[in-house]
Amino acid sequence: MKRNKKSYLATLIIAALMCGSYSCSSDNDDMPPSDKTTSTDEISETLNNVSTDWGASKKAIEKYMKGYRDEENNDTTVLQFSAKKSPITIVYQFAGDYLCSAAIKAKKGDAEIDVMETLKDFIYVGESNGCDVYTNESKNVFAAAYSKIENDDNYQIIGFTPLLSIIDRIDGKETVDLGLSVKWANCNIGATKPEEYGNYYAWGETSADKKSYTWDTYAHCDGSLNTCKMIGDSICGTSYDAATVNWGSKWQTPTRKQLDELRRECDWVQGTIGGINGYYVFGKTGNYIFLPAGGWKSNVSNTINNAGYYMSSTRYNNGYAYCLKFSSSSRTIADQYRHVGMNVRAVIHR
């Protein structure tokens, strides 16, 4: 599936947001003049009127938005409204009948809109693919802002999605639905918080009680790469799977394909929690997980807090296994020695 390079935070609903919001007849007295633009104050006032009651139903949002014009839209996952006095469109995106994101599109003039002024009480988080990303704990939102030129008119786009993911518990473990083929655990195995690194496992080992991760200490070889034992092309759900053994039969170490799906189908925003570097990974539902940059463990220096290495259950070749590798500049599916200690973020089938 091809995805717009702009951050998910603002583009989950951009397709609906761009579908002729300002093409309505100007004969309506409620319609603003076609050449009218919005001011910083008008955008700020509108933002205060956007509902961030995540999980609210379509009927609840329609009731909340009385006073705005309800625009027709063929997309059943979207509700779209326009302001009566300003050229501003408000769009809500739903997962089923539950609100998962919102955005506004405001026509502006030649002057730049002061984003920090419109997003009062928000804290700047970072940048993702040209979007500035902010948070507001009291509103329970992430916000992303950027500008767009459409038909020679300038627009300010600001999108919202929940600051706190909707979390389910399965067998006492927190899970997050990102809209992918599997649900993802909210923490690494061995961690109690999303930002904790948790345990490190060599491929095919289920115990993390190791002081060193070398060929000499690796359970599935006789001291060297060339003596690696064949324990399967995939250890997913087997007695060699750290997720299955430590968390129960419902849980698995993700396959190469599932890690690549996370990499390709989600939007990644680099950030920190409590001084721990990592990425917020946003899915199609508006939910996200945080992957800390736990590095890897071996007999040489590792990259803790600078890069992340997340194990897959898929073998690459005799001495290597696939993993998800990320840093501040790249995210790839790579291969790593089987003896190296890596973090595991477990998955569970839907």
Side-chain angles (χ1 to χ4, degrees), residues 81-137:
F81 302 87
S82 60
K84 292 185 176 181
K85 301 299 182 181
S86 300
I88 299 177
T89 295
I90 303 171
V91 179
Y92 294 96
Q93 175 80 31
F94 295 82
D97 192 39
Y98 298 98
L99 178 65
C100 64
S101 69
I104 73 164
K105 172 186 173 183
K107 184 178 178 182
K108 65 177 187 178
D110 294 332
E112 284 296 318
I113 297 292
D114 186 345
V115 175
M116 288 305 297
E117 183 63 25
T118 60
L119 292 174
K120 294 177 180 178
D121 303 321
F122 280 72
I123 297 173
Y124 179 73
V125 173
E127 183 270 341
S128 175
N129 297 318
C131 279
D132 291 323
V133 182
Y134 305 83
T135 61
N136 185 313
E137 290 189 8

Side-chain angles (χ1 to χ4, degrees), residues 241-262:
D241 188 329
T244 304
V245 172
N246 287 280
W247 277 17
S249 59
K250 295 179 181 179
W251 294 94
Q252 298 172 351
T253 298
T255 64
R256 177 194 183 280
K257 184 177 180 180
Q258 289 161 353
L259 282 174
D260 198 36
E261 179 185 41
L262 185 74

